[in-house]
Amino acid sequence: MELRHLRYFLAVADELHFARAAEILGIAPPTLSVQIQQIERQLQVQLFVRTKRSVALTAAGLTFAEQARAVLAQFDQALTAGRRAGRGELGKVEIGYVGSAVFGGVLQRQISAFRHDWPDTEVQVREWEMSSLSSALEEGQVDIAFVRMPLALAPSLQSHVLLRDRFVLALPADHRLADTGVPIRARALAGEAFVVPEQELGSREIYRRGGFVPRVERRPGSLLAVLAEVSLGAGVAVVPGVVTGVIDLPNVIYRPMAGAAIGSEVAAVFRRYERSPVVKNMIAAIRKSVPLALGSIVG
């Protein structure tokens, strides 16, 4: 039995008249009669009581009609869902991110805008270690990653910059350089204990400018963990400027660095040849975004 048989049967059940039902279906009345007989033979029940003047549903016919309507309704829902999924209106996007994307508001803005335009799409968000995100994208564990650049990317991946930032220095509040009224020079940090975040770009540039070999005290991972170590007096840290406006820990002071700004970027990274319609929709929205520029906030 095919779906068309259900439609034939329901047309007759609704009209209780073979000729009118055949006209609605666009087939000849004898053809429709044969189709109904085939259904009855397959079910081994009589669905209609026919006389020369009337057609009525049997008890079996009433039950079958109820179930046939449910089947067709579910099939129509499946068709609609399939078409919407093909257009990227339905589905799921797996997002991986590092702390900088949240502290700078990049992740919030992108997801809020996407959910507004595609409200029926499910967005799953999870923080990852930055070193794992590139391989997670390649392996399909993540669809889009929000990371702090630079990050080594495989040829199958590409990025779009969403935020341009600069690095600042995080110091314990009682540090000898905390109360200086001028930006801190790199060479003044020679001999200091450094707490190093996952993204070492800023730290390495400070070492280079200061001409010293660093004494690395801790590598705790996330930015929050780095600042917690600074708060506890473990050392100083070179951190993204975005944290200065959102992470206010006891015993932590942020200060600008002397010389040319050490820039860094937060970007969205995704697969170059993405196949999922729903992920493509989000990538298209990201590509339209103009990078924001944030300077350091000193407090």
Side-chain angles (χ1 to χ4, degrees), residues 2 75 196 231 246:
E2 301 176 11
F75 177 72
V196 181
S231 176
V246 293

Side-chain angles (χ1 to χ4, degrees), residues 116-157:
H116 178 270
D117 293 337
W118 306 97
D120 295 326
T121 298
E122 182 182 356
V123 181
Q124 294 283 350
V125 182
R126 182 162 71 92
E127 185 174 10
W128 285 66
E129 290 184 3
M130 191 160 59
S131 59
S132 303
L133 276 170
S134 182
S135 59
L137 276 165
E138 290 186 275
E139 295 167 6
Q141 296 174 274
V142 169
D143 296 314
I144 300 174
F146 289 80
V147 303
R148 178 165 290 277
M149 301 297 279
L151 181 68
L153 299 179
S156 61
L157 304 178

Side-chain angles (χ1 to χ4, degrees), residues 204-275:
R204 287 173 179 167
E205 179 61 14
I206 292 299
Y207 311 153
R208 187 193 68 78
R209 291 183 183 185
F212 61 83
V213 176
R215 178 162 61 92
V216 177
E217 188 71 20
R218 300 276 194 282
R219 294 179 183 272
S222 72
L223 284 174
L224 185 57
V226 167
L227 292 171
E229 292 284 352
V230 174
S231 176
L232 295 171
V236 302
V238 181
V239 296
V242 293
V243 305
T244 62
V246 293
I247 302 182
D248 184 16
L249 291 183
N251 197 41
V252 176
I253 297 292
Y254 300 106
R255 290 290 180 262
M257 299 296 303
I262 305 172
S264 184
E265 299 170 333
V266 175
V269 181
F270 35 83
R271 290 180 285 272
R272 189 177 297 275
Y273 305 108
E274 181 58 57
R275 295 182 178 181

Side-chain angles (χ1 to χ4, degrees), residues 273-294:
Y273 305 108
E274 181 58 57
R275 295 182 178 181
S276 166
V278 65
V279 178
K280 284 182 178 180
N281 284 342
M282 190 165 194
I283 292 172
I286 288 171
R287 281 177 167 155
K288 294 177 183 177
S289 301
V290 177
L292 298 175
L294 290 184

Side-chain angles (χ1 to χ4, degrees), residues 33-271:
S33 182
V34 169
Q35 295 292 325
I36 297 301
Q37 290 171 8
Q38 288 177 350
I39 296 171
E40 289 178 322
R41 281 198 297 271
Q42 186 167 351
L43 296 177
Q44 297 182 347
V45 296
Q46 186 177 354
L47 299 174
F48 297 100
V49 177
R50 308 168 181 83
T51 68
K52 290 183 178 181
R53 295 187 176 182
S54 67
V55 175
L57 284 163
T58 63
L62 286 168
T63 299
F64 187 62
E66 180 181 351
Q67 297 301 317
R69 291 186 204 282
V71 168
L72 289 178
Q74 187 162 358
F75 177 72
D76 289 341
Q77 289 174 6
L79 285 179
T80 300
R83 292 187 182 111
R84 293 187 68 194
R87 295 192 295 266
E89 297 174 14
L90 297 177
K92 182 170 69 172
V93 183
E94 293 282 353
I95 302 291
Y97 71 91
V98 297
S100 294
V102 174
F103 301 144
V106 167
L107 184 65
Q108 297 91 319
R109 281 189 290 272
Q110 291 297 325
I111 291 181
S112 177
F114 182 73
R115 283 175 170 161
H116 178 270
D117 293 337
W118 306 97
D120 295 326
T121 298
E122 182 182 356
V123 181
Q124 294 283 350
V125 182
R126 182 162 71 92
E127 185 174 10
W128 285 66
E129 290 184 3
M130 191 160 59
S131 59
S132 303
L133 276 170
S134 182
S135 59
L137 276 165
E138 290 186 275
E139 295 167 6
Q141 296 174 274
V142 169
D143 296 314
I144 300 174
F146 289 80
V147 303
R148 178 165 290 277
M149 301 297 279
L151 181 68
L153 299 179
S156 61
L157 304 178
Q158 58 184 340
S159 64
H160 180 85
V161 175
L162 295 169
L163 174 70
R164 302 191 192 282
D165 191 14
R166 63 179 62 186
F167 287 98
V168 298
L169 188 67
L171 303 160
D174 59 356
H175 193 278
R176 61 184 175 83
L177 298 174
D179 294 329
T180 59
V182 295
I184 297 171
R185 295 187 177 277
R187 63 173 176 265
L189 298 172
E192 293 288 339
F194 278 81
V195 182
V196 181
E198 287 183 281
Q199 175 54 272
E200 295 188 49
L201 172 69
S203 303
R204 287 173 179 167
E205 179 61 14
I206 292 299
Y207 311 153
R208 187 193 68 78
R209 291 183 183 185
F212 61 83
V213 176
R215 178 162 61 92
V216 177
E217 188 71 20
R218 300 276 194 282
R219 294 179 183 272
S222 72
L223 284 174
L224 185 57
V226 167
L227 292 171
E229 292 284 352
V230 174
S231 176
L232 295 171
V236 302
V238 181
V239 296
V242 293
V243 305
T244 62
V246 293
I247 302 182
D248 184 16
L249 291 183
N251 197 41
V252 176
I253 297 292
Y254 300 106
R255 290 290 180 262
M257 299 296 303
I262 305 172
S264 184
E265 299 170 333
V266 175
V269 181
F270 35 83
R271 290 180 285 272

